[in-house]
Amino acid sequence: MDKKIAVMGSGYVGLVAGTCLADLGAQVTLFDVDEEKVAQLRRGKIPIYEPGLEDILSPAVESGNLNFTTNEAEALTGQDGIIIAVGTPKRADGSCDIQYVLSAAEMIGANIESDTVVINKSTVPVGTGELVYKQVNSALEERSDTEAKVEVVSNPEFLREGSAVGDFMEPDRVIVGSEDGSACDFTAELYSSLDCPVLKTGLRTAEMIKYASNAFLATKISFINEISNVCEMVGADVVEVAEGMGLDHRINRDFLGAGIGYGGSCFPKDTEALVEIAGQAGYQSQILNSVIGVNHAQRKRFARKIVSTLPEEEDLQVGALGVAFKPETDDMREAPSIDIIHDLQAEGIEVSAYDPIAMENARQVIRDVDWAESPEEALRGMDALILFTEWDEFLELDYKKVKEWLKRPVIFDGRNCLPMEELIEMGFDYYGVGRGIDRLDEILSYRYLFAEPKEKD
Ligand code: UGA
């Protein structure tokens, strides 16, 4: 591939996409305003934890395919395409803040010297592509030194933190949306060596595909979490329910993992933004508001389960395994552990915690936790083990030893990832999410089956 591409923003999406495109043979210049970050990247130091990224970053730099700069003119002139991959944070009202996208557009208009395809990868409300087009053109109009023109493409990103490199290199699909066919073709060619379908759509449709995809996955999670709550009430096991449902290829097992709900920088932000987008357009989303509500309630419910299960004693202490919003990341944004730990502390329960890599970030957002250097240190002498993140390290622990470390053999598994039967056999009191076992005695009476029908008013 002989294309010259600039990537604006060396955050999570920009860094992964830029490095992967360089690996695929494009000439990539990564631009960021953060001088410290760029200096680190030049030295091969990656500011995020992303497995596999380092392995392709150093060779891309050495081959000359990947360069970093803080100089906008150097980054933006002479490129065939410019990718916008800057942050779109959530505003207080849940809407999406696109100011950095528009600043990037203005910078493009102020610097390009020849026709360029502007490719937006940031997650933005439907219609933002047109605003980008306008913003670039109004900056171009202020100049008399160029006849350069742009076309705007929406090329949303579907990477997951922790498996981003694999997701980029083996995508389920690539979406390119533009009102200009040749700009679509240009963008599609960037991915031509990958074995996946490429769907070409209009600009607004591509922007919507991103939101609809994330919102649907969040819906699957909240749906199975709601089912898990019913499972608890009626003595069914949600893990097997999900397995049984997932065998239907129309449903599919993925993202039917019941637990303490979704966190991270995407699902919480994008579901709220889509509610806001729909609202602005005059449509009140009923499903998405419920998805968000169930996700919030799931955290509260888990905290309540812990508090009501542990004995009513003073000086209770619990040990938490994992705090990141999911494994293979140090990201703490919207991690369910934050709310749950704070709820436990509000009940007077002390918390110690261990996470393989997220503790540095966790210290900034979780108060008054005793941070441990190992699972053993987090669990020794504790009244219960609470698992928030399903790191492999925790699945591989020797639970005979864990039982010796704990003061009480009680496990609250917020991700249903530990071997329930084995642990119960070993003498643990095991509480998962939606597995019914904790209320078995009560359920065995099948009160709800034999209850007299309520009299109608
Ligand atoms: C998500 C999407 O999966 C990506 O396709 C998308 O590109 C990305 O957002 C984005 O918009 O940038 P990510 O937030 O990295 O990726 O993480 P996921 O693996 O999707 O997990 C999100 C949350 O859902 C985690 O807290 C995870 O624990 C939770 N989850 C996931 C469940 O509770 N149950 C499941 O079955 C699956």
Side-chain angles (χ1 to χ4, degrees):
M1 197 201 320
D2 54 357
K3 294 192 167 42
K4 292 170 96 181
I5 303 290
V7 179
M8 301 182 79
S10 66
Y12 174 73
V13 169
L15 188 55
V16 173
T19 308
C20 289
L21 285 172
D23 187 67
L24 293 177
Q27 283 281 321
V28 177
T29 306
L30 250 166
F31 166 79
D32 202 293
V33 288
D34 187 336
E35 299 206 352
E36 170 72 27
K37 205 172 181 185
V38 167
Q40 282 191 356
L41 283 166
R42 283 198 181 120
R43 290 197 299 272
K45 195 165 181 307
I46 300 178
I48 51 169
Y49 175 82
E50 189 56 47
L53 188 57
E54 208 167 340
D55 300 341
I56 57 169
L57 187 129
S58 306
V61 172
E62 275 158 30
S63 71
N65 274 3
L66 183 59
N67 292 289
F68 304 97
T69 184
T70 52
N71 182 315
E72 50 187 82
E74 186 188 319
L76 302 177
T77 50
Q79 305 292 359
D80 301 313
I82 299 175
I83 293 175
I84 300 178
V86 295
T88 48
K90 190 172 80 172
R91 288 204 198 91
D93 64 359
S95 67
C96 174
D97 183 352
I98 58 166
Q99 62 163 314
Y100 302 112
V101 174
L102 295 180
S103 317
E106 196 174 351
M107 225 181 250
I108 293 170
N111 284 282
I112 55 168
E113 287 171 350
S114 53
D115 293 358
T116 311
V117 178
V118 175
I119 303 164
N120 182 48
K121 273 195 176 298
S122 301
T123 301
V124 290
V126 181
T128 302
E130 278 108 323
L131 297 179
V132 168
Y133 184 77
K134 273 195 199 145
Q135 190 82 19
V136 178
N137 279 306
S138 80
L140 277 170
E141 276 160 22
E142 285 181 15
R143 296 169 56 191
S144 53
D145 60 337
T146 180
E147 297 286 301
K149 290 191 186 57
V150 293
E151 292 297 344
V152 175
V153 177
S154 165
N155 173 216
E157 204 45 85
F158 301 105
L159 309 177
R160 285 164 300 172
E161 289 186 26
S163 57
V165 175
D167 289 345
F168 190 97
M169 294 300 192
E170 289 167 38
D172 286 343
R173 80 301 208 185
V174 166
I175 306 293
V176 289
S178 178
E179 307 319 314
D180 181 85
S182 58
C184 263
D185 293 344
F186 170 86
T187 310
E189 273 170 40
L190 294 175
Y191 302 93
S192 57
S193 60
L194 304 179
D195 180 23
C196 73
V198 176
L199 183 68
K200 295 177 185 170
T201 70
L203 190 51
R204 289 180 173 225
T205 301
E207 289 169 343
M208 191 57 164
I209 288 171
K210 168 68 188 189
Y211 275 109
S213 302
N214 271 2
F216 184 74
L217 292 171
T219 304
K220 268 188 110 173
I221 297 170
S222 278
F223 178 83
I224 200 67
N225 278 334
E226 188 149 84
I227 294 295
S228 80
N229 297 337
V230 182
C231 283
E232 274 181 16
M233 314 294 287
V234 300
D237 185 324
V238 75
V239 176
E240 290 175 7
V241 170
E243 204 179 316
M245 288 169 65
L247 286 171
D248 184 329
H249 73 275
R250 296 169 303 175
I251 298 174
N252 180 306
R253 174 69 178 80
D254 293 344
F255 281 70
L256 287 181
I260 48 178
Y262 60 78
S265 63
C266 305
F267 290 173
K269 173 168 82 81
D270 293 350
T271 42
E272 281 189 41
L274 187 49
V275 167
E276 179 67 21
I277 291 166
Q280 291 282 336
Y283 183 82
Q284 301 311 317
S285 170
Q286 296 184 50
I287 291 182
L288 289 179
N289 277 315
S290 299
V291 166
I292 294 164
V294 168
N295 193 54
H296 181 69
Q298 202 67 5
R299 301 173 179 195
K300 294 267 160 215
R301 193 179 161 92
F302 192 66
R304 237 183 6 253
K305 179 187 278 188
I306 296 168
V307 173
S308 62
T309 306
L310 290 176
E312 278 182 43
E313 284 173 19
E314 293 198 349
D315 306 326
L316 284 173
Q317 293 176 311
V318 296
L321 295 186
V323 282
F325 84 97
K326 66 172 193 175
E328 299 300 335
T329 178
D330 61 353
D331 200 334
M332 283 301 296
R333 283 175 286 180
E334 308 264 354
S337 63
I338 304 172
D339 287 347
I340 299 169
I341 289 176
H342 286 160
D343 277 4
L344 296 179
Q345 290 170 331
E347 295 290 334
I349 298 175
E350 279 181 32
V351 181
S352 73
Y354 165 79
D355 187 287
I357 59 162
M359 288 196 291
E360 207 179 305
N361 290 337
R363 276 179 222 273
Q364 320 296 322
V365 287
I366 312 184
R367 301 179 299 267
D368 302 327
V369 164
D370 202 357
W371 297 104
E373 294 293 317
S374 66
E376 177 175 357
E377 197 184 316
L379 300 177
R380 206 167 257 292
M382 295 292 142
D383 291 291
L385 176 165
I386 300 173
L387 189 140
F388 290 122
T389 320
E390 65 276 36
W391 285 97
D392 281 348
E393 184 179 341
F394 305 144
L395 314 188
E396 288 155 11
L397 281 175
D398 178 348
Y399 278 85
K400 285 204 183 82
K401 281 199 187 139
V402 170
K403 197 163 166 234
E404 285 164 19
W405 300 337
L406 288 165
K407 184 162 122 195
R408 290 190 164 93
V410 184
I411 292 181
F412 295 94
D413 179 359
R415 296 292 181 184
N416 286 344
C417 63
L418 299 176
M420 177 173 76
E421 278 89 4
E422 274 174 49
L423 293 171
I424 292 170
E425 196 123 301
M426 287 165 74
F428 280 101
D429 286 342
Y430 172 92
Y431 301 91
V433 176
R435 311 197 76 178
I437 199 86
D438 43 320
R439 303 184 64 227
L440 210 56
D441 287 345
E442 189 184 337
I443 288 157
L444 282 178
S445 69
Y446 287 104
R447 282 179 303 115
Y448 69 100
L449 283 184
F450 303 117
E452 292 292 319
K454 279 193 186 136
E455 271 183 36
K456 292 204 175 92
D457 295 331

mmCIF file of all heavy atoms in Angstrom, residues 275-304:
data_model
loop_
_atom_site.group_PDB
_atom_site.id
_atom_site.type_symbol
_atom_site.label_atom_id
_atom_site.label_comp_id
_atom_site.label_asym_id
_atom_site.label_seq_id
_atom_site.Cartn_x
_atom_site.Cartn_y
_atom_site.Cartn_z
ATOM 1 N N VAL A 275 -29.340 8.018 23.424
ATOM 2 C CA VAL A 275 -30.599 8.498 24.004
ATOM 3 C C VAL A 275 -30.746 9.997 23.710
ATOM 4 O O VAL A 275 -31.801 10.485 23.304
ATOM 5 C CB VAL A 275 -30.629 8.248 25.534
ATOM 6 C CG1 VAL A 275 -31.764 9.010 26.198
ATOM 7 C CG2 VAL A 275 -30.742 6.750 25.824
ATOM 8 N N GLU A 276 -29.640 10.707 23.898
ATOM 9 C CA GLU A 276 -29.637 12.159 23.686
ATOM 10 C C GLU A 276 -29.861 12.502 22.203
ATOM 11 O O GLU A 276 -30.652 13.394 21.871
ATOM 12 C CB GLU A 276 -28.279 12.696 24.192
ATOM 13 C CG GLU A 276 -28.047 14.167 24.045
ATOM 14 C CD GLU A 276 -28.953 15.009 24.931
ATOM 15 O OE1 GLU A 276 -29.478 14.476 25.922
ATOM 16 O OE2 GLU A 276 -29.147 16.192 24.586
ATOM 17 N N ILE A 277 -29.199 11.747 21.321
ATOM 18 C CA ILE A 277 -29.348 11.984 19.872
ATOM 19 C C ILE A 277 -30.819 11.772 19.477
ATOM 20 O O ILE A 277 -31.417 12.585 18.774
ATOM 21 C CB ILE A 277 -28.437 11.011 19.069
ATOM 22 C CG1 ILE A 277 -26.966 11.374 19.280
ATOM 23 C CG2 ILE A 277 -28.780 11.024 17.574
ATOM 24 C CD1 ILE A 277 -25.987 10.287 18.818
ATOM 25 N N ALA A 278 -31.385 10.658 19.970
ATOM 26 C CA ALA A 278 -32.785 10.355 19.655
ATOM 27 C C ALA A 278 -33.690 11.463 20.219
ATOM 28 O O ALA A 278 -34.587 11.955 19.522
ATOM 29 C CB ALA A 278 -33.168 8.996 20.240
ATOM 30 N N GLY A 279 -33.413 11.866 21.463
ATOM 31 C CA GLY A 279 -34.220 12.904 22.113
ATOM 32 C C GLY A 279 -34.189 14.214 21.342
ATOM 33 O O GLY A 279 -35.218 14.854 21.125
ATOM 34 N N GLN A 280 -32.980 14.582 20.901
ATOM 35 C CA GLN A 280 -32.834 15.828 20.122
ATOM 36 C C GLN A 280 -33.668 15.765 18.851
ATOM 37 O O GLN A 280 -34.154 16.773 18.359
ATOM 38 C CB GLN A 280 -31.359 16.021 19.720
ATOM 39 C CG GLN A 280 -30.433 16.333 20.874
ATOM 40 C CD GLN A 280 -30.541 17.781 21.306
ATOM 41 O OE1 GLN A 280 -30.940 18.616 20.514
ATOM 42 N NE2 GLN A 280 -30.231 18.063 22.555
ATOM 43 N N ALA A 281 -33.792 14.542 18.317
ATOM 44 C CA ALA A 281 -34.552 14.378 17.075
ATOM 45 C C ALA A 281 -36.048 14.206 17.362
ATOM 46 O O ALA A 281 -36.836 14.015 16.441
ATOM 47 C CB ALA A 281 -34.011 13.176 16.307
ATOM 48 N N GLY A 282 -36.407 14.209 18.652
ATOM 49 C CA GLY A 282 -37.828 14.138 19.004
ATOM 50 C C GLY A 282 -38.325 12.734 19.303
ATOM 51 O O GLY A 282 -39.524 12.478 19.321
ATOM 52 N N TYR A 283 -37.388 11.796 19.548
ATOM 53 C CA TYR A 283 -37.807 10.415 19.830
ATOM 54 C C TYR A 283 -37.308 9.996 21.210
ATOM 55 O O TYR A 283 -36.108 10.095 21.497
ATOM 56 C CB TYR A 283 -37.237 9.473 18.759
ATOM 57 C CG TYR A 283 -37.704 8.045 18.958
ATOM 58 C CD1 TYR A 283 -38.943 7.640 18.490
ATOM 59 C CD2 TYR A 283 -36.922 7.128 19.657
ATOM 60 C CE1 TYR A 283 -39.395 6.349 18.712
ATOM 61 C CE2 TYR A 283 -37.356 5.835 19.881
ATOM 62 C CZ TYR A 283 -38.590 5.456 19.400
ATOM 63 O OH TYR A 283 -39.042 4.183 19.625
ATOM 64 N N GLN A 284 -38.214 9.536 22.047
ATOM 65 C CA GLN A 284 -37.808 9.081 23.388
ATOM 66 C C GLN A 284 -37.531 7.581 23.351
ATOM 67 O O GLN A 284 -38.447 6.801 23.143
ATOM 68 C CB GLN A 284 -38.915 9.361 24.419
ATOM 69 C CG GLN A 284 -39.297 10.838 24.559
ATOM 70 C CD GLN A 284 -38.087 11.743 24.736
ATOM 71 O OE1 GLN A 284 -37.169 11.425 25.487
ATOM 72 N NE2 GLN A 284 -38.070 12.847 24.017
ATOM 73 N N SER A 285 -36.277 7.210 23.558
ATOM 74 C CA SER A 285 -35.944 5.783 23.500
ATOM 75 C C SER A 285 -36.369 5.090 24.788
ATOM 76 O O SER A 285 -35.950 5.470 25.874
ATOM 77 C CB SER A 285 -34.437 5.601 23.320
ATOM 78 O OG SER A 285 -34.114 4.242 23.502
ATOM 79 N N GLN A 286 -37.208 4.088 24.669
ATOM 80 C CA GLN A 286 -37.632 3.353 25.869
ATOM 81 C C GLN A 286 -36.634 2.251 26.194
ATOM 82 O O GLN A 286 -36.263 2.044 27.334
ATOM 83 C CB GLN A 286 -39.006 2.743 25.633
ATOM 84 C CG GLN A 286 -40.053 3.812 25.440
ATOM 85 C CD GLN A 286 -41.428 3.213 25.313
ATOM 86 O OE1 GLN A 286 -41.842 2.402 26.115
ATOM 87 N NE2 GLN A 286 -42.124 3.612 24.273
ATOM 88 N N ILE A 287 -36.198 1.524 25.164
ATOM 89 C CA ILE A 287 -35.289 0.402 25.408
ATOM 90 C C ILE A 287 -33.972 0.895 26.001
ATOM 91 O O ILE A 287 -33.499 0.379 27.014
ATOM 92 C CB ILE A 287 -35.030 -0.382 24.104
ATOM 93 C CG1 ILE A 287 -36.304 -1.124 23.687
ATOM 94 C CG2 ILE A 287 -33.866 -1.365 24.268
ATOM 95 C CD1 ILE A 287 -36.169 -1.962 22.452
ATOM 96 N N LEU A 288 -33.372 1.911 25.382
ATOM 97 C CA LEU A 288 -32.040 2.319 25.843
ATOM 98 C C LEU A 288 -32.063 2.885 27.256
ATOM 99 O O LEU A 288 -31.134 2.669 28.026
ATOM 100 C CB LEU A 288 -31.420 3.320 24.869
ATOM 101 C CG LEU A 288 -31.014 2.691 23.546
ATOM 102 C CD1 LEU A 288 -30.437 3.730 22.607
ATOM 103 C CD2 LEU A 288 -30.001 1.569 23.775
ATOM 104 N N ASN A 289 -33.136 3.600 27.603
ATOM 105 C CA ASN A 289 -33.216 4.095 28.980
ATOM 106 C C ASN A 289 -33.277 2.936 29.964
ATOM 107 O O ASN A 289 -32.684 2.979 31.039
ATOM 108 C CB ASN A 289 -34.433 5.015 29.138
ATOM 109 C CG ASN A 289 -34.099 6.427 28.676
ATOM 110 O OD1 ASN A 289 -33.042 6.957 29.013
ATOM 111 N ND2 ASN A 289 -34.969 7.023 27.883
ATOM 112 N N SER A 290 -33.956 1.862 29.580
ATOM 113 C CA SER A 290 -34.014 0.685 30.453
ATOM 114 C C SER A 290 -32.660 -0.013 30.527
ATOM 115 O O SER A 290 -32.256 -0.494 31.584
ATOM 116 C CB SER A 290 -35.054 -0.315 29.945
ATOM 117 O OG SER A 290 -36.312 0.282 29.937
ATOM 118 N N VAL A 291 -31.967 -0.071 29.384
ATOM 119 C CA VAL A 291 -30.638 -0.706 29.350
ATOM 120 C C VAL A 291 -29.712 -0.006 30.347
ATOM 121 O O VAL A 291 -29.012 -0.648 31.146
ATOM 122 C CB VAL A 291 -30.041 -0.633 27.917
ATOM 123 C CG1 VAL A 291 -28.555 -0.972 27.911
ATOM 124 C CG2 VAL A 291 -30.815 -1.554 26.984
ATOM 125 N N ILE A 292 -29.762 1.319 30.328
ATOM 126 C CA ILE A 292 -28.905 2.111 31.229
ATOM 127 C C ILE A 292 -29.342 1.894 32.684
ATOM 128 O O ILE A 292 -28.512 1.702 33.575
ATOM 129 C CB ILE A 292 -28.981 3.611 30.836
ATOM 130 C CG1 ILE A 292 -28.372 3.816 29.443
ATOM 131 C CG2 ILE A 292 -28.288 4.484 31.874
ATOM 132 C CD1 ILE A 292 -28.713 5.149 28.788
ATOM 133 N N GLY A 293 -30.650 1.881 32.904
ATOM 134 C CA GLY A 293 -31.180 1.701 34.257
ATOM 135 C C GLY A 293 -30.811 0.342 34.833
ATOM 136 O O GLY A 293 -30.381 0.229 35.985
ATOM 137 N N VAL A 294 -30.969 -0.706 34.029
ATOM 138 C CA VAL A 294 -30.639 -2.062 34.501
ATOM 139 C C VAL A 294 -29.144 -2.141 34.834
ATOM 140 O O VAL A 294 -28.742 -2.722 35.839
ATOM 141 C CB VAL A 294 -31.018 -3.131 33.444
ATOM 142 C CG1 VAL A 294 -30.421 -4.490 33.794
ATOM 143 C CG2 VAL A 294 -32.532 -3.234 33.305
ATOM 144 N N ASN A 295 -28.322 -1.522 33.994
ATOM 145 C CA ASN A 295 -26.870 -1.583 34.227
ATOM 146 C C ASN A 295 -26.502 -0.931 35.558
ATOM 147 O O ASN A 295 -25.676 -1.456 36.310
ATOM 148 C CB ASN A 295 -26.131 -0.899 33.075
ATOM 149 C CG ASN A 295 -24.645 -1.214 33.096
ATOM 150 O OD1 ASN A 295 -24.269 -2.382 33.116
ATOM 151 N ND2 ASN A 295 -23.809 -0.200 33.119
ATOM 152 N N HIS A 296 -27.139 0.181 35.838
ATOM 153 C CA HIS A 296 -26.872 0.890 37.092
ATOM 154 C C HIS A 296 -27.360 0.053 38.281
ATOM 155 O O HIS A 296 -26.645 -0.140 39.267
ATOM 156 C CB HIS A 296 -27.569 2.247 37.034
ATOM 157 C CG HIS A 296 -27.338 3.070 38.243
ATOM 158 N ND1 HIS A 296 -26.108 3.609 38.546
ATOM 159 C CD2 HIS A 296 -28.176 3.418 39.255
ATOM 160 C CE1 HIS A 296 -26.198 4.251 39.691
ATOM 161 N NE2 HIS A 296 -27.429 4.153 40.138
ATOM 162 N N ALA A 297 -28.574 -0.480 38.139
ATOM 163 C CA ALA A 297 -29.177 -1.241 39.238
ATOM 164 C C ALA A 297 -28.380 -2.511 39.544
ATOM 165 O O ALA A 297 -28.332 -2.974 40.679
ATOM 166 C CB ALA A 297 -30.621 -1.600 38.885
ATOM 167 N N GLN A 298 -27.736 -3.065 38.515
ATOM 168 C CA GLN A 298 -27.002 -4.323 38.688
ATOM 169 C C GLN A 298 -25.848 -4.151 39.691
ATOM 170 O O GLN A 298 -25.560 -5.031 40.482
ATOM 171 C CB GLN A 298 -26.482 -4.789 37.319
ATOM 172 C CG GLN A 298 -26.178 -6.270 37.237
ATOM 173 C CD GLN A 298 -27.407 -7.149 37.343
ATOM 174 O OE1 GLN A 298 -28.536 -6.692 37.384
ATOM 175 N NE2 GLN A 298 -27.180 -8.443 37.420
ATOM 176 N N ARG A 299 -25.210 -3.004 39.636
ATOM 177 C CA ARG A 299 -24.115 -2.726 40.589
ATOM 178 C C ARG A 299 -24.668 -2.623 42.011
ATOM 179 O O ARG A 299 -24.109 -3.171 42.960
ATOM 180 C CB ARG A 299 -23.437 -1.395 40.241
ATOM 181 C CG ARG A 299 -22.867 -1.369 38.859
ATOM 182 C CD ARG A 299 -22.350 0.008 38.493
ATOM 183 N NE ARG A 299 -21.795 -0.041 37.140
ATOM 184 C CZ ARG A 299 -21.014 0.871 36.608
ATOM 185 N NH1 ARG A 299 -20.688 1.931 37.314
ATOM 186 N NH2 ARG A 299 -20.539 0.745 35.395
ATOM 187 N N LYS A 300 -25.768 -1.864 42.127
ATOM 188 C CA LYS A 300 -26.381 -1.664 43.448
ATOM 189 C C LYS A 300 -26.812 -3.011 44.036
ATOM 190 O O LYS A 300 -26.647 -3.288 45.212
ATOM 191 C CB LYS A 300 -27.631 -0.784 43.324
ATOM 192 C CG LYS A 300 -27.344 0.607 42.893
ATOM 193 C CD LYS A 300 -27.186 1.494 44.122
ATOM 194 C CE LYS A 300 -26.430 2.761 43.797
ATOM 195 N NZ LYS A 300 -25.562 3.248 44.836
ATOM 196 N N ARG A 301 -27.391 -3.840 43.161
ATOM 197 C CA ARG A 301 -27.923 -5.134 43.591
ATOM 198 C C ARG A 301 -26.801 -6.026 44.143
ATOM 199 O O ARG A 301 -26.963 -6.716 45.146
ATOM 200 C CB ARG A 301 -28.581 -5.786 42.371
ATOM 201 C CG ARG A 301 -29.429 -6.967 42.663
ATOM 202 C CD ARG A 301 -30.030 -7.493 41.363
ATOM 203 N NE ARG A 301 -30.452 -8.854 41.570
ATOM 204 C CZ ARG A 301 -31.674 -9.197 41.955
ATOM 205 N NH1 ARG A 301 -32.589 -8.274 42.131
ATOM 206 N NH2 ARG A 301 -31.976 -10.453 42.164
ATOM 207 N N PHE A 302 -25.640 -5.988 43.447
ATOM 208 C CA PHE A 302 -24.510 -6.816 43.869
ATOM 209 C C PHE A 302 -23.997 -6.339 45.233
ATOM 210 O O PHE A 302 -23.718 -7.146 46.131
ATOM 211 C CB PHE A 302 -23.406 -6.751 42.808
ATOM 212 C CG PHE A 302 -22.314 -7.764 42.991
ATOM 213 C CD1 PHE A 302 -22.572 -9.123 42.847
ATOM 214 C CD2 PHE A 302 -21.014 -7.375 43.286
ATOM 215 C CE1 PHE A 302 -21.556 -10.064 42.998
ATOM 216 C CE2 PHE A 302 -19.995 -8.310 43.442
ATOM 217 C CZ PHE A 302 -20.270 -9.655 43.292
ATOM 218 N N ALA A 303 -23.902 -5.020 45.405
ATOM 219 C CA ALA A 303 -23.450 -4.482 46.696
ATOM 220 C C ALA A 303 -24.432 -4.888 47.797
ATOM 221 O O ALA A 303 -24.029 -5.291 48.895
ATOM 222 C CB ALA A 303 -23.330 -2.956 46.619
ATOM 223 N N ARG A 304 -25.729 -4.813 47.467
ATOM 224 C CA ARG A 304 -26.753 -5.171 48.456
ATOM 225 C C ARG A 304 -26.657 -6.642 48.834
ATOM 226 O O ARG A 304 -26.810 -7.040 49.974
ATOM 227 C CB ARG A 304 -28.145 -4.875 47.887
ATOM 228 C CG ARG A 304 -28.930 -3.935 48.762
ATOM 229 C CD ARG A 304 -30.325 -3.622 48.337
ATOM 230 N NE ARG A 304 -30.882 -4.308 47.217
ATOM 231 C CZ ARG A 304 -31.081 -3.756 46.034
ATOM 232 N NH1 ARG A 304 -30.706 -2.497 45.827
ATOM 233 N NH2 ARG A 304 -31.636 -4.438 45.055
#
